[in-house]
Amino acid sequence: MNKIYPSAAAALADVVKDGQTIAVGGFGLSGIPEALIEALRDSGVKNLTCVSNNAGVDGFGLGLLLATRQIKKMISSYVGENKEFERQYLAGELELEFTPQGTLAERMRAGGAGIPGFYTKTGVGTLVAEGKEVKEFDGETFILERGIVADLAIVKAWKADPFGNLVYRKTARNFNPMAATAGRVTVAEVEAIVEPGTLDPDCIHTPSVYVQRLFEGAFEKRIEQRTVRKREAA
């Protein structure tokens, strides 16, 4: 089975549809599948539910899909860097399901592992717990969280082999491994596709069984918040 496609658009061509739930890797702007997000924008699909740690920034990452109003709902843990996200939410134009960050990661991991739900203490006694099943274990209260299974997962990796085994680079690993397992179809954009046998089996983060399509792309790699010290006087 050939998993390699020539571009992001080709890799998504017959798998994206209106109303899908899409799991998106990345944290801030680190490790986001930027080419696939642009291809989603260009495809014109709408009414999407995006599962992502965040919504990118204005004009980049998932911020592109917010600008074109292609996202109906976000399931996120952090939305603080996107003014358009804030505007749409406060205006009632965007649905939002806030999920604590560790819970969001576990919801995707659980969905990918075939686990329909799990109990956690995170969120007990807060708005996060509203409407959720509550249960006691050993005298402590826990709430039930559902695993997430997405119609499509889009992730960014550093290296891959032609079979779809993925290696992420340092902090760009973040949510990508969990998102990759959560998709019924997973598409990966990578910086380099290497020959079979090149990757150390002990260093593979996402096994090929989870990846249906991949392509090699070029990336902008923006810095989310550039912080520099003032130049010292000579």
Side-chain angles (χ1 to χ4, degrees):
M1 177 181 176
N2 180 28
K3 296 185 178 182
I4 301 176
Y5 286 72
S7 66
L12 293 178
D14 57 349
V15 295
V16 292
K17 300 177 182 177
D18 292 348
Q20 285 183 320
T21 295
I22 302 180
V24 185
F27 185 104
L29 297 184
S30 175
I32 64 170
E34 55 193 75
L36 286 165
I37 292 171
E38 290 183 7
L40 279 175
R41 177 199 60 190
D42 297 342
S43 75
V45 292
K46 55 185 182 297
N47 295 325
L48 300 175
T49 295
C50 288
V51 184
S52 172
N53 166 68
N54 68 98
V57 297
D58 294 286
F60 195 65
L62 288 178
L64 294 174
L65 300 183
L66 287 173
T68 52
R69 309 302 294 274
Q70 290 170 267
I71 298 177
K72 176 186 71 175
K73 178 180 179 179
M74 287 292 306
I75 301 176
S76 296
S77 59
Y78 178 69
V79 296
E81 304 298 327
N82 194 308
K83 293 181 180 178
E84 179 59 16
F85 187 118
E86 177 185 15
R87 190 201 66 74
Q88 289 186 24
Y89 173 63
L90 293 177
E93 300 169 1
L94 178 69
E95 297 177 45
L96 173 61
E97 182 180 332
F98 259 135
T99 302
Q101 194 153 276
T103 301
L104 181 62
E106 181 61 12
R107 288 183 68 189
M108 286 194 277
R109 191 205 68 81
I115 299 170
F118 59 92
Y119 288 95
T120 177
K121 291 182 67 176
T122 305
V124 171
T126 72
L127 291 174
V128 171
E130 288 189 358
K132 296 175 181 174
E133 180 183 327
V134 176
K135 194 168 184 177
E136 284 197 3
F137 293 91
D138 301 323
E140 297 190 68
T141 304
F142 293 76
I143 57 175
L144 177 66
E145 293 282 1
R146 294 297 305 272
I148 292 174
V149 177
D151 300 300
L152 172 68
I154 55 174
V155 299
K156 161 75 184 302
W158 179 36
K159 293 180 180 180
D161 63 20
F163 307 114
N165 293 300
L166 305 181
V167 176
Y168 308 102
R169 180 169 171 77
K170 300 184 184 298
T171 56
R173 188 189 312 185
N174 51 60
F175 278 79
N176 278 297
M178 290 75 76
T181 67
R184 292 187 176 94
V185 175
T186 295
V187 182
E189 59 183 70
V190 301
E191 296 185 34
I193 298 176
V194 300
E195 292 296 320
T198 303
L199 300 178
D200 181 347
D202 285 337
C203 295
I204 290 171
H205 300 131
T206 296
S208 61
V209 68
Y210 291 108
V211 180
Q212 284 70 47
R213 301 181 177 194
L214 68 153
F215 68 95
E216 188 175 291
F219 307 96
E220 185 175 343
K221 294 186 179 179
R222 288 194 192 184
I223 297 175
E224 188 171 353
Q225 292 189 16
R226 186 183 297 274
T227 303
V228 296
R229 68 182 184 183
K230 293 182 180 180
R231 186 183 296 275
E232 297 179 1

